[in-house]
C-alpha cells in the first residue's frame, strides 16, 4: 500500500486532462471536532492526494476510491456538471493537525492548499462567587482562563453592558502542552448591586465562554439600617432568652415550695398517727 501511494505521489505528468477547479479554503475548528476541506477537479481526474503539513494522509484514485491509511482521515465525493468534488474529513482534530492542508492531482505538480487551525477552549472562572462592597470602596475581581489555545481574548460586562478596557488589565502566560493561560483583573467601584460577567473568546467558539458573579453594594444608609436591625434583633433575642430563663426559674421555685409544703404536711400526719398509736396503747394497758 505504501508503494502504491508513493508511486502516485511521485507520478510524473502523463498527459491526463485533470486540473483543480476550486481548491480548499481555510478552516478553524475546536479540538475534538471535524474539519472538512473540499477540492473540485475536472471530470477526467485520475488521482488526488491529500497532504497534511507535507505528509500524505489520504489518496483517492478514480474509479477505485479512497485508499484509507488512518480512520482519522476519510473522504466523501460529489459529482456536478462542472467537476468532481472530493471532501477530506479529519476526525477528532488535534493541536498537531494545525498547519497546511494540500490537495494535489500530481498533474504537472498542480496543487492547491489551505490552512487548518485547531483551537482549544479551556476553563474559565472568577475566584470569588460574590462580593459585598461598601459605598465609595473599590474592589478587584480576578478572572482566570486556563488551558487555552490560542490565549483567549477576555472582556468584561456589567448588567449586560461592556466595560471599558481601561478598567481592567489582562496578562497572558505559557501553560503546559502548548496551551496558554490568561488572567484579567477588573477594578470596580460599584454604585449599586451589579451582575459582573467575564467573557473569554477564540475564533472557533460559536459564542464566548463566560463566568458570572454578583457584586452587592452596601451604601451608608443601608449599612446604618442594617446595624439598627442587627441591634434590634439582638435585643429581641436577649428578651426571649431572659424570658425563658425567668420562666424556668419560676417553675423551679414553685416546685421547691410545693415539695417543701408536701414534706411538711407529710411530717404532720406522721406525728398525728404516732400520737394515736400511743393513746391506744395507754388505753389498752388500763383495761389490762
Amino acid at each position: 500500500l505504501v508503494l502504491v501511494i508513493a508511486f502516485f505521489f511521485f507520478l510524473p505528468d502523463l498527459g491526463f486532462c485533470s486540473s483543480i477547479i476550486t481548491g480548499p479554503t481555510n478552516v478553524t475548528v475546536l479540538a475534538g471536532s471535524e474539519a472538512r476541506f473540499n477540492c473540485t477537479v475536472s471530470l477526467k481526474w485520475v488521482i488526488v492526494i491529500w497532504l497534511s503539513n507535507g505528509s500524505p494522509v489520504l489518496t483517492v484514485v478514480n474509479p477505485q476510491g479512497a485508499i484509507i491509511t488512518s480512520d482519522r482521515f476519510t473522504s466523501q465525493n460529489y459529482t456536478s456538471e462542472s467537476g468532481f468534488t472530493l471532501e477530506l474529513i479529519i476526525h477528532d482534530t488535534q493541536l498537531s493537525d494545525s498547519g497546511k492542508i494540500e490537495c494535489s492531482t500530481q498533474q504537472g505538480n498542480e496543487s492547491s492548499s489551505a490552512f487548518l487551525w485547531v483551537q482549544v477552549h479551556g476553563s474559565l472562572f472568577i475566584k470569588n462567587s460574590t462580593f459585598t462592597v461598601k459605598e465609595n470602596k473599590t474592589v478587584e475581581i480576578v478572572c482566570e482562563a486556563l488551558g487555552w489555545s490560542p490565549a483567549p481574548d477576555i472582556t468584561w460586562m456589567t448588567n449586560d453592558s461592556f466595560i471599558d478596557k481601561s478598567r481592567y488589565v489582562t496578562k497572558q502566560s505559557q501553560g503546559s502542552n502548548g496551551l496558554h493561560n490568561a488572567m484579567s483583573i477588573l477594578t470596580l467601584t460599584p454604585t449599586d448591586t451589579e451582575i459582573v460577567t467575564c467573557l473569554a473568546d477564540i475564533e472557533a467558539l460559536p459564542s464566548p465562554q463566560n463566568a458570572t458573579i454578583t457584586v452587592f453594594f452596601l451604601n451608608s444608609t443601608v449599612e446604618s439600617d442594617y446595624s439598627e436591625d442587627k441591634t434590634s434583633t439582638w435585643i429581641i433575642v436577649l428578651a426571649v432568652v431572659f424570658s425563658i430563663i425567668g420562666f424556668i426559674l419560676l417553675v423551679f421555685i414553685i416546685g421547691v415550695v410545693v415539695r417543701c409544703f408536701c414534706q411538711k404536711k407529710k411530717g404532720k400526719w406522721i406525728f398525728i398517727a404516732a400520737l394515736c398509736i400511743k393513746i391506744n396503747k395507754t388505753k389498752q394497758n388500763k383495761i389490762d
Side-chain angles (χ1 to χ4, degrees), residues 36-278:
R36 295 173 177 259
F37 295 89
N38 289 330
C39 184
T40 301
V41 297
S42 59
L43 293 175
K44 294 184 179 181
W45 70 283
V46 175
I47 179 173
V48 170
I49 298 177
W50 287 99
L51 301 96
S52 174
N53 291 318
S55 298
V57 293
L58 186 71
T59 301
V60 186
V61 181
N62 188 16
Q64 287 84 357
I67 302 174
I68 297 175
T69 57
S70 170
D71 292 339
R72 293 186 57 241
F73 300 92
T74 60
S75 176
Q76 289 184 352
N77 304 325
Y78 311 93
T79 304
S80 64
E81 294 181 357
S82 58
F84 190 87
T85 300
L86 301 98
E87 182 178 45
L88 171 68
I89 307 171
I90 305 176
H91 305 270
D92 189 23
T93 53
Q94 304 167 5
L95 273 177
S96 58
D97 293 325
S98 294
K100 184 179 179 181
I101 301 296
E102 187 176 358
C103 167
S104 174
T105 64
Q106 295 301 297
Q107 175 68 24
N109 293 323
E110 184 178 15
S111 66
S112 181
S113 62
F115 191 82
L116 170 61
W117 194 4
V118 180
Q119 300 185 344
V120 177
H121 71 97
S123 62
L124 182 72
F125 60 92
I126 297 175
K127 289 189 173 181
N128 298 78
S129 58
T130 58
F131 282 93
T132 300
V133 185
K134 295 182 179 180
E135 189 175 8
N136 298 323
K137 296 295 182 180
T138 298
V139 64
E140 288 188 345
I141 305 173
V142 180
C143 179
E144 284 195 82
L146 302 178
W148 292 68
S149 180
D153 179 27
I154 294 183
T155 54
W156 291 84
M157 296 181 70
T158 176
N159 297 335
D160 298 326
S161 297
F162 282 101
I163 297 175
D164 190 89
K165 291 185 177 181
S166 63
R167 295 171 59 185
Y168 57 89
V169 176
T170 302
K171 297 180 181 179
Q172 299 176 355
S173 61
Q174 185 68 44
S176 59
N177 301 319
L179 302 177
H180 303 270
N181 304 326
M183 181 175 67
S184 186
I185 303 175
L186 170 67
T187 302
L188 186 67
T189 306
T191 57
D192 199 355
T193 295
E194 301 180 18
I195 304 297
V196 178
T197 304
C198 173
L199 302 100
D201 195 21
I202 53 178
E203 183 182 351
L205 277 177
S207 59
Q209 193 166 323
N210 66 80
T212 301
I213 64 164
T214 302
V215 178
F216 293 99
F217 175 69
L218 190 63
N219 61 32
S220 55
T221 304
V222 173
E223 187 176 8
S224 176
D225 294 341
Y226 174 76
S227 179
E228 291 178 2
D229 291 342
K230 190 175 180 180
T231 302
S232 300
T233 301
W234 274 109
I235 292 174
I236 294 171
V237 170
L238 290 174
V240 171
V241 170
F242 284 127
S243 297
I244 294 173
I245 294 174
F247 177 76
I248 293 173
L249 287 174
L250 180 62
V251 171
F252 177 75
I253 292 171
I254 293 173
V256 171
V257 170
V258 170
R259 182 177 176 82
C260 291
F261 176 77
C262 289
Q263 287 180 347
K264 189 173 181 181
K265 192 172 183 181
K266 183 179 179 181
K268 182 178 179 181
W269 283 108
I270 291 173
F271 173 76
I272 294 172
L275 183 61
C276 290
I277 293 171
K278 187 175 182 181

